[in-house]
Amino acid sequence: YIFCCYRPPRQDHLTFLSGLRESISSIMDTTASMIILGDFNARHNEWFRQEPITASGRCLVDLLDDTGFTQLVRDRPTRFSTTGQSSSLLDLVLCNQPFLIHDLTILPPVSDHCPV
């Protein structure tokens, strides 16, 4: 299974992550391989050392720990501010079988985000 997600910055992260957890749980019973990717608007220094840890990032790390998923994008920003804010790693790739991903490339920005 491949899922693409987007959580708008102002959307409640608890509601979003609760829905994501329900989706994962409904499919996990089938022992299926899953890749979930998109802009989660969650920051955590586990993925990008320069990031502050936000509440949404902390909750997403908890969800990953609970479900056995791994976040695969590391140490490079995927979003660049047009207003002078610092860059961030917001575009994530989550997988419950990370050995399935052999190569992950962050391409040059096409807007304020880089394709992964």
Side-chain angles (χ1 to χ4, degrees), residues 89-103:
L89 198 169
L90 302 177
D91 305 283
L92 309 177
V93 175
L94 317 176
C95 189
N96 66 337
Q97 296 181 21
F99 63 87
L100 294 174
I101 309 294
H102 299 283
D103 188 27

Side-chain angles (χ1 to χ4, degrees), residues 27-116:
I27 294 171
M28 285 292 275
D29 295 337
T30 67
T31 66
S33 302
M34 283 190 270
I35 299 170
I36 304 169
L37 46 99
D39 179 351
F40 289 80
N41 277 299
R43 293 170 171 83
H44 202 286
N45 62 13
E46 185 176 305
W47 313 317
F48 185 45
R49 280 175 248 143
Q50 291 85 351
E51 291 278 29
I53 299 173
T54 60
S56 56
R58 192 175 310 107
C59 290
L60 181 56
V61 166
D62 290 345
L63 183 139
L64 298 178
D65 290 343
D66 292 348
T67 58
F69 275 73
T70 302
Q71 199 294 109
L72 300 171
V73 183
R74 302 280 176 166
D75 300 322
R76 288 194 44 212
T78 60
R79 182 188 180 274
F80 296 90
S81 173
T82 57
T83 61
Q85 296 172 321
S86 61
S87 53
S88 301
L89 198 169
L90 302 177
D91 305 283
L92 309 177
V93 175
L94 317 176
C95 189
N96 66 337
Q97 296 181 21
F99 63 87
L100 294 174
I101 309 294
H102 299 283
D103 188 27
L104 202 142
T105 304
I106 299 173
L107 300 173
V110 293
S111 62
D112 60 333
H113 287 261
C114 299
V116 177

Side-chain angles (χ1 to χ4, degrees), residues 8-23:
R10 289 176 176 59
Q11 181 186 18
D12 177 64
H13 69 276
L14 295 176
T15 302
F16 174 81
L17 292 174
S18 174
L20 183 59
R21 184 181 295 273
E22 286 179 29
S23 296

